[in-house]
Structures are given as structure tokens and as C-alpha cells.
Amino acid sequence: MVRIGKLPIKVPSNVQVEVNENIIQISGPHGKLFRKISDLISVKLSDNIIYVKKNEDTRIANQLYGLSRTLINNMVIGVSQKFERTLQLQGVGYRAQLKDKHLVLNLGYSHPILILIPVGIDIIVEKNVGIIITGFDKEVVGQLAATIRSKRPPEPYKGKGVLYKGEIIKRKVGKSGK
């Protein structure tokens, strides 16, 4: 049932790919990424198209087959066009600002929360309540967005917290008073 692994990956003209045994290195206008691929998987480059193949027909090789193809595809997309995650702060007094290499969040606690911005990540704060995270590594962008969201996840009664853009919070009815 492996279908994703069979799809070839088209490499844009502004991206360079190097395959050395089990290490694939992809560089483009936005950055340079490399990843070690399992021995169960082989990667071949021909005519600006990357092919991923299984070396064995085992369960683990099947699992790594689609995963490896997706990771390589994300690397190609990331160095050619960056990934982006948008967060929104909802709540009275919730705001964000940039100071040096830190993102400062005021989320209703008695203290501000400082988050160090990793190398290769750009953060834009819009109107103190919108945070746009961009970067060429999808894993780092997603992890940073999840870390920021975990500082004050949205709650179902008032809808306050840090939300992904477009996220809909199912609201609950509070206690009914007599």
C-alpha cells in the first residue's frame, strides 16, 4: 500500500541536490539542508528528478519509504519557497513583540514569556496580536509554532489563547446560574 514513496520529486532549476551514499544535501536561494537517509532506502537523482526506492521489502522499509520521500520533498520546497505558520493571540491584554533575538509574549501570566528565535527563522509581529513564522525547515517552523501555542492553548469557554490562523475553537456552555 505504499503510494507516496512512488511519486518522483521534481527539483526546481534554482535548487541544487547532492546525494552521497545515505546523505542528501539540498541547497537553494533560501538556505541549505541535509538529512541522513536510512540504509533501507536509496535515493537517485537524474534529470532534475529525485527517485526514492526501497532496498528491502520489510515493514520498516515500507514505513521509511513514504516518510523519506516526504521529508526530501519538504526540503526541496523549503529551500525554494519558505514555509509559513501564522498564529493569532486572542484575549484581553494578550500581545507579542520582538526584542533582539527573542519573542516576548504577554499572555495573562504575572510575567512575560521569552522565546528564543532559532537560526534560520524569521518572525513578524502584526498589530501585537498576529505572529507570522517563516523559515526553510518545515520541522523547525512547525515546532516553534507549537511551542508558542503551548504557552497558552486556546480554552473552550471564552476562546482565549494562542490559535493557529483559521483554527475554530468549539465553544462550551458555562455553568448555568439560578
Side-chain angles (χ1 to χ4, degrees):
M1 295 301 296
V2 182
R3 295 188 189 112
I4 291 178
K6 293 180 182 179
L7 299 173
I9 302 168
K10 295 178 183 169
V11 180
S13 59
N14 59 352
V15 175
Q16 294 79 35
V17 178
E18 292 180 28
V19 179
N20 296 331
E21 295 178 16
N22 290 355
I23 297 175
I24 184 165
Q25 182 173 338
I26 300 176
S27 57
H30 295 294
K32 187 178 198 177
L33 293 170
F34 67 93
R35 182 170 297 274
K36 187 177 185 314
I37 304 296
S38 172
D39 294 333
L40 302 173
I41 305 297
S42 62
V43 179
K44 189 175 100 177
L45 174 70
S46 64
D47 298 330
N48 277 347
I49 296 178
I50 299 173
Y51 297 99
V52 180
K53 300 207 186 257
K54 295 184 288 183
N55 293 337
E56 296 179 14
D57 195 23
T58 61
R59 182 175 180 173
I60 295 173
N62 283 340
Q63 293 169 353
L64 292 174
Y65 187 38
L67 174 70
S68 300
R69 190 258 177 216
T70 303
L71 291 173
I72 293 169
N73 189 40
N74 286 341
M75 291 167 61
V76 170
I77 293 170
V79 296
S80 62
Q81 49 187 334
K82 290 186 172 187
F83 289 104
E84 180 177 305
R85 278 300 227 166
T86 305
L87 299 170
Q88 295 175 336
L89 305 178
Q90 285 189 352
V92 177
Y94 289 13
R95 58 193 165 97
Q97 58 188 353
L98 293 172
K99 274 191 182 173
D100 299 328
K101 295 183 180 183
H102 289 86
L103 178 66
V104 181
L105 300 170
N106 293 324
L107 298 175
Y109 296 116
S110 61
H111 58 283
I113 298 168
L114 294 174
I115 297 177
L116 181 66
I117 301 171
V119 177
I121 299 293
D122 298 322
I123 293 184
I124 300 169
V125 177
E126 291 182 334
K127 299 180 185 176
N128 290 336
V129 294
I131 302 170
I132 299 173
I133 305 167
T134 57
F136 57 86
D137 192 351
K138 186 174 187 178
E139 187 177 347
V140 176
V141 171
Q143 184 60 51
L144 182 62
T147 301
I148 293 170
R149 186 177 188 271
S150 72
K151 300 303 178 187
R152 180 70 88 168
E155 53 95 16
Y157 296 103
K158 292 184 180 179
K160 295 174 14 175
V162 181
L163 292 79
Y164 292 114
K165 183 178 180 184
E167 182 179 11
I168 298 170
I169 303 298
K170 285 190 175 181
R171 302 292 292 270
K172 291 183 179 179
V173 179
K175 287 185 178 179
S176 59
K178 278 190 169 184

